[in-house]
Amino acid sequence: MEAWNILGDVVLLLAAAAMVGMLFERLGASSIIGCMVAGMLVGPGVFGWISSEPEKIEHIAEIGVALLLFTIGLEISRSKLRTFGGRGLGAGILQVAGTLFAGALITKLFGLSWSSSLAVGAIITLSSTAAVARVLTERSEIDSQHGRLSLAVLIVQDVALVPLLLMVTFLGDASDFNEVMGEVGQAAGKIVVYTVVLFAAGILLIPRLFKSSAAT
């Protein structure tokens, strides 16, 4: 019975997102904003029409985000990444550093400690790659000059996520430094192994499977 309740809530969320998204598109705004507004309205924050636990809906939403990132990845090739060049890299570094320190200084003026201010600055530094890339795709601006520059900044933000998380961990974690570094080392090792395996499969295995399937 619980599964049917979750399915009903998902259908309700999708229906609300579709209607409000179309409304926002008619108003000249992005449907992504309409979907977020729909979630706030039917969720527990306003009307409370969703009875399922937020954690269970969140798992389904993560699948949707993964599929959205997959479709965006199909449109971004290595040749496009090369066109970003040093200009995109510099813009991304400037955006991350500037937003981090500006956000930290502003929150410091409100009486927060430096550790809390830096944590807030790290939070507002990052944007949603899926949301921004989706908006650029909807407007057919992903191949424009400002679209490519925006993607370069988003990629730099994604790369900066790891050091920002480490910084926030060091600021707020009271555990031993060696223990933290050990956990960071294990996570970094897993990332390296995963990247090597994925790269090897993409270069050696998958093309051969596709070629075999096409020949068959």
Side-chain angles (χ1 to χ4, degrees), residues 88-108:
L89 179 62
I93 295 175
L94 182 63
Q95 184 274 327
V96 171
T99 307
L100 173 63
F101 290 107
L105 289 175
I106 293 174
T107 51
K108 179 63 177 176

Side-chain angles (χ1 to χ4, degrees), residues 57-147:
I57 300 295
E58 182 179 354
H59 293 317
I60 302 176
E62 289 174 353
I63 298 176
V65 173
L67 294 175
L68 178 59
L69 289 174
F70 177 76
T71 58
I72 294 171
L74 293 177
E75 301 176 4
I76 302 177
S77 60
R78 286 182 294 179
S79 60
K80 288 184 179 181
L81 294 177
R82 294 193 190 100
T83 60
F84 296 157
R87 182 182 178 185
L89 179 62
I93 295 175
L94 182 63
Q95 184 274 327
V96 171
T99 307
L100 173 63
F101 290 107
L105 289 175
I106 293 174
T107 51
K108 179 63 177 176
L109 296 177
F110 287 91
L112 274 71
S113 63
W114 275 113
S115 58
S116 300
S117 299
L118 288 173
V120 173
I123 293 172
I124 64 177
T125 294
L126 303 176
S127 306
S128 173
T129 303
V132 176
R134 180 63 180 175
V135 171
L136 293 174
T137 303
E138 289 179 351
R139 298 180 178 180
S140 300
E141 298 176 351
I142 198 167
D143 287 323
S144 63
Q145 184 176 2
H146 66 273

Side-chain angles (χ1 to χ4, degrees), residues 1-15 49-53 56-57 60:
M1 191 65 183
E2 184 180 3
W4 288 107
N5 291 334
I6 296 176
L7 179 61
D9 290 338
V10 171
V11 172
L12 178 60
L13 282 170
L14 292 176
W49 293 345
I50 304 301
S51 58
S52 301
E53 294 293 332
K56 297 178 181 179
I57 300 295
I60 302 176

Side-chain angles (χ1 to χ4, degrees), residues 13-14 16-18 20-21 24 30-41:
L13 282 170
L14 292 176
V20 181
F24 270 69
S30 172
S31 60
I32 294 291
I33 302 177
C35 292
M36 291 189 292
V37 172
M40 290 187 292
L41 290 177

Side-chain angles (χ1 to χ4, degrees), residues 166 169-170 173 175-190:
L166 292 177
T169 301
F170 291 144
D173 197 340
S175 60
D176 184 69
F177 177 79
N178 293 329
E179 181 181 351
V180 174
M181 290 302 298
E183 295 178 357
V184 171
Q186 291 179 3
K190 292 178 181 179

